[in-house]
Amino acid sequence: MPELPEVESVRRGLEDWITGTRVTAARVLDPRILGTTSQRRIPPEAVGAFAEAVAGISLRTPERRGKFLWVPFDRPDRSETRSQLPSSALTLHLGMSGQLRVHAPQDELHRHTRAVLTLERAEGLRELRFLDQRIFGHIGVDDLVQDGPDAVPRGSSHIARDPLDVHWDAEATARVVQRSGSALKSVLMNQAVVSGIGNIYADEALHRARVHPQSIPSRMRISRIRRVLEESRIVMLEALAQGGTSFDELYVHVNGESGYFSHSLNAYGRTGEPCPRCGRPIKRITFGGRGSHFCPRCQRVNRGHYR
């Protein structure tokens, strides 16, 4: 599933292609893409309502919090000046296999294309296509609400700031994490505590910090929790510099290219391979419904671990 570096790579690609464009038409090829994973029975009128909501809108710069992506827009009938903040946004969630691809209108449609927005640019028309093999992704329109200095979609207002957010408070996050009696890796992946960290970068941050994934935060020194959070920020910055992590064709940039941070992973997906720090084979365990990769020597189990 795309995590923060992958979604930010997509956001940057979209920024180059769609900022300042106008949506001239919208086609929904599979209505399921308009729902969430818990809402797949889409009423027939939803397709027409979405197409009407986005027709003629002018897209601003794409924004992101954690894994959540949105594009504020101006409505065609809006009387306010463009310097004022928009009140709505096009929301885009990649889910497990979603892709946002920019194409020329004459390009052949991929069989997993679920929705298409036709964009008017100075140099001609382009299409923003939402591909999703498993249809866990989502496209829609949502109202923006104020969250401190930011305006975020109402449906994402519960999402915490991420480690690459300029307003992220690492110390406050560490204090929240330390109050938890759950396994540390599970807390790191709780998007209401800190957003953007998924299975890959949680494993990598814990390996770098030499902390076992089942450590209990309430039994840990705050300095160790700070270290894990800082390592999560560092590893995601490094991944972002390499375009994110691609293991298969499900995650690609808007131009179809893959990220290559998978070559730099030290723990995730390396079961049985030597730890790059000590040489001990990387081990994989399952808890909380997810596989976790760690070094049994560098990330030792102790009495303060989840049972």
Side-chain angles (χ1 to χ4, degrees), residues 139-159:
I139 185 172
V141 172
D142 199 3
D143 294 332
L144 291 172
V145 296
Q146 207 64 29
D147 179 24
D150 303 323
V152 300
R154 188 181 303 277
S156 303
S157 59
H158 64 289
I159 302 300

Side-chain angles (χ1 to χ4, degrees), residues 2 12 27 31 48 63 91-92 98 111 125 156 158 172 190 225 259 272:
R12 292 181 180 185
R27 289 182 289 157
E63 300 183 21
T91 56
L92 303 158
R111 63 191 180 95
L125 297 180
S156 303
H158 64 289
N190 183 342
I225 296 173

Side-chain angles (χ1 to χ4, degrees), residues 143-193:
D143 294 332
L144 291 172
V145 296
Q146 207 64 29
D147 179 24
D150 303 323
V152 300
R154 188 181 303 277
S156 303
S157 59
H158 64 289
I159 302 300
R161 296 186 183 277
D162 62 69
L164 303 191
D165 191 317
V166 295
H167 300 293
W168 181 57
D169 188 332
E171 182 62 25
T173 302
R175 296 292 175 182
V176 171
V177 171
Q178 193 182 39
R179 293 198 290 267
S180 177
S182 300
L184 177 56
K185 181 177 177 180
S186 297
V187 181
L188 291 176
M189 296 174 61
N190 183 342
Q191 303 300 294
V193 175

Side-chain angles (χ1 to χ4, degrees), residues 55-240:
I57 63 174
S58 297
L59 300 176
R60 292 197 177 192
T61 303
E63 300 183 21
R64 178 197 56 76
R65 177 174 290 184
K67 309 172 189 179
F68 295 81
L69 182 67
W70 66 92
V71 188
F73 61 75
D74 293 313
R75 297 187 181 278
D77 57 349
R78 186 174 176 139
S79 60
E80 294 94 333
T81 63
R82 205 180 140 70
S83 62
Q84 294 177 305
L85 291 175
S87 59
S88 302
L90 178 71
T91 56
L92 303 158
H93 195 280
L94 300 180
M96 294 184 67
S97 58
Q99 299 178 14
L100 293 167
R101 303 280 293 275
V102 175
H103 284 271
Q106 65 270 21
D107 291 349
E108 182 180 356
L109 282 178
H110 189 281
R111 63 191 180 95
H112 294 142
T113 304
R114 310 301 178 183
V116 179
L117 299 183
T118 302
L119 308 177
E120 184 179 63
R121 292 166 50 98
E123 61 272 31
L125 297 180
R126 287 291 185 272
E127 289 185 347
L128 176 63
R129 300 177 182 178
F130 197 132
L131 285 64
D132 195 345
Q133 177 178 328
R134 300 175 183 173
I135 318 183
F136 289 143
H138 166 77
I139 185 172
V141 172
D142 199 3
D143 294 332
L144 291 172
V145 296
Q146 207 64 29
D147 179 24
D150 303 323
V152 300
R154 188 181 303 277
S156 303
S157 59
H158 64 289
I159 302 300
R161 296 186 183 277
D162 62 69
L164 303 191
D165 191 317
V166 295
H167 300 293
W168 181 57
D169 188 332
E171 182 62 25
T173 302
R175 296 292 175 182
V176 171
V177 171
Q178 193 182 39
R179 293 198 290 267
S180 177
S182 300
L184 177 56
K185 181 177 177 180
S186 297
V187 181
L188 291 176
M189 296 174 61
N190 183 342
Q191 303 300 294
V193 175
V194 54
S195 65
I197 305 175
N199 215 27
I200 297 173
Y201 301 109
D203 280 358
E204 291 301 300
L206 289 165
H207 180 269
R208 290 177 176 221
R210 302 190 179 212
V211 175
H212 195 282
Q214 292 179 307
S215 299
I216 300 299
S218 60
R219 302 174 190 172
M220 294 174 62
R221 298 189 302 273
I222 191 69
S223 59
R224 300 203 77 196
I225 296 173
R226 292 190 191 110
R227 171 76 184 279
V228 171
L229 290 173
E230 176 60 11
E231 292 293 353
S232 72
R233 188 184 72 84
I234 292 171
V235 72
M236 288 194 292
L237 282 171
E238 292 176 2
L240 179 58

